[in-house]
Amino acid sequence: MKKLLLILGILAIPSLQSEAKTYQCTICADEGWTRCDNAYVTKGDIIKVKASGKWSTKPSYGKFGPTGMATPWCEYYTIVRNCTCGALIMDIGGSREAACYDEDGIFIKAWTSGPLRFRMNDTGTHDNSGCLEVEVEVIK
C-alpha cells in the first residue's frame, strides 16, 4: 500500500509529467523551407514527425512518398547529402543541421531551440510537384 501511495504521489507532481503538443501542416515540393503551424521547440524536446502523401522532383520521375527516391544520380541535387533525394527534411530555426525522414519518420531530440521548418531534399524546386501532409508531435 505504501508503494502504491508513493507511486500515485510521484505521478501527481506536475513537473515530472511530460507535455505534448501536436501540429499539422502541408509541405509542398515546389516551395523552399516552410514553417509548420508555428511549431517551436526548445533544445532537448523530443520531436516525432509522420508524413503522408506523394510528391515528385520531376514529372517524368513519377511520384513517391516522404522517404524520397533512391537514385544514384540524384545525390548531386540534394541539400542534405546523407539523406535520400526527394525525402522530407526538417531543420530547427535555420540551423545548419537537418533531420531526414526515413521509414520510421523523424524521431529526434531537438539539438537547438527554434521554429521547425520542412522542405523536400532537392536543390531545385522549379520542376517539383505534390505536397505532403505532415504531423509533428513535440514532447516537452
Side-chain angles (χ1 to χ4, degrees), residues 74-139:
C74 193
E75 70 185 36
Y76 301 108
Y77 303 103
T78 59
I79 295 164
V80 181
R81 295 283 182 207
N82 62 345
C83 182
T84 305
C85 181
L88 178 67
I89 56 176
M90 177 194 84
D91 86 346
I92 301 172
S95 67
R96 296 190 181 262
E97 296 181 50
C100 302
Y101 196 96
D102 62 21
E103 59 276 349
D104 297 320
I106 297 174
F107 184 76
I108 60 161
K109 183 183 263 191
W111 58 85
T112 190
S113 298
L116 294 180
R117 302 184 317 158
F118 295 87
R119 70 171 292 156
M120 177 186 271
N121 192 26
D122 184 21
T123 56
T125 60
H126 64 283
D127 56 353
N128 295 355
S129 64
C131 299
L132 299 178
E133 296 303 317
V134 177
E135 182 175 286
V136 180
E137 183 180 7
V138 177
I139 303 167

Side-chain angles (χ1 to χ4, degrees), residues 49-78:
V49 178
K50 287 294 182 186
S52 61
K54 300 279 185 184
W55 57 8
S56 178
T57 56
K58 193 172 188 179
S60 61
Y61 300 149
K63 296 211 177 247
F64 45 85
T67 58
M69 61 177 192
T71 311
W73 57 264
C74 193
E75 70 185 36
Y76 301 108
Y77 303 103
T78 59

Side-chain angles (χ1 to χ4, degrees), residues 33-46:
W33 288 107
T34 304
R35 285 189 61 180
C36 184
D37 188 29
N38 296 320
Y40 187 93
V41 298
T42 303
K43 184 177 181 176
D45 289 351
I46 301 299

